[in-house]
Amino acid sequence: DIQMTQSPSSLSASVGDRVTITCRASQSITTYLNWYQQKPGKAPKLLIYAASSLQSGVPSGFSGSGSGTDFTLTISSLQPEDFATYYCQQSYSMPYTFGQGTKVEIK
Amino acid sequence: EVQLLESGGGLVQPGGSLRLSCAASGITFANYALTWVRQAPGKGLEWVSVLSDSGATAYYADSVNGRFSISRDTSKNTLYLQMNSLRAEDTAVYYCAKSPRGGWPPGLYGMDVWGQGTTVTVSS
């Protein structure tokens, strides 16, 4: 199975900050990488698919980059509604494993 | 509007069985791969199983392989997860989710619609 490792596991940031979360795969997954946002008690929401494609309806402040084994999710200017947990997921080979999550908290 | 609605969760003893359902509306059910994802209390997301749009191909996480079975009834627009030999570590919220496009494998586009989840508790 492909292992996905996110860093950091948590971070504290202020509204307006630029935030970067990284995700590393244990082997190359080309660009088969998705990012999800999850708020407490809610289902995950797809933000980015294919490493850098913005899902319809997602604010343009979110962006993704990377290929191979190293990927990044960037929030250009953190908004109050962006405080949540973020997960990467590889969809290159079954099982489509998730990273352990990055919790973005208010500083 | 596309909606997925899970049901069937509850409290079950270790070794017991449970069948989860995921009813879809607003989509032609047979055109999409459908996935079960779970989340243990306070933990991250775990991919559990996927069924192809044709219904002919299924994959399972190692943690549930041989105990869980995914299936669907296209006439009812419903996806199922039959869970047998349940263990305490199967305790979780179970979500169903769909891929945004048809075809197989479903991976490139992620999962764009999720249900609200149903809670399974395995405890004596």
Side-chain angles (χ1 to χ4, degrees), chain A residues 1 36 38 42-43 87 91 95-96, chain B residues 39 44 47 62 95 107 111 115:
Chain A
D1 297 359
Y36 299 87
Q38 187 182 33
K42 300 296 186 181
Y87 294 92
S91 51
Y96 287 170
Chain B
Q39 186 169 37
W47 184 94
D62 290 344
Y95 297 99
M111 293 176 283

Side-chain angles (χ1 to χ4, degrees), chain A residues 15-59:
Chain A
V15 172
D17 284 352
R18 181 181 181 89
V19 169
T20 299
I21 299 168
T22 63
C23 178
R24 174 164 288 177
S26 60
Q27 65 182 73
S28 176
I29 56 171
T30 65
T31 57
Y32 284 74
L33 192 283
N34 311 304
W35 289 98
Y36 299 87
Q37 176 194 67
Q38 187 182 33
K39 297 181 179 180
K42 300 296 186 181
K45 173 186 175 182
L46 178 65
L47 299 176
I48 302 284
Y49 63 92
S52 60
S53 296
L54 193 68
Q55 174 67 8
S56 176
V58 174

Side-chain angles (χ1 to χ4, degrees), chain A residues 1 31-34 36 38 41-46 49-51 55 87 89 91-92 94-101, chain B residues 35 37 39 43-47 50 59-62 95 100-101 104-112 114-117:
Chain A
D1 297 359
T31 57
Y32 284 74
L33 192 283
N34 311 304
Y36 299 87
Q38 187 182 33
K42 300 296 186 181
K45 173 186 175 182
L46 178 65
Y49 63 92
Q55 174 67 8
Y87 294 92
Q89 181 208 22
S91 51
Y92 181 78
M94 306 281 184
Y96 287 170
T97 42
F98 289 90
Q100 82 279 15
Chain B
T35 300
V37 174
Q39 186 169 37
K43 302 297 184 182
L45 301 172
E46 181 185 13
W47 184 94
V50 65
Y59 283 90
Y60 300 91
D62 290 344
Y95 297 99
R101 306 190 189 190
W104 182 263
L108 186 60
Y109 303 102
M111 293 176 283
D112 66 334
W114 295 63
Q116 87 293 343

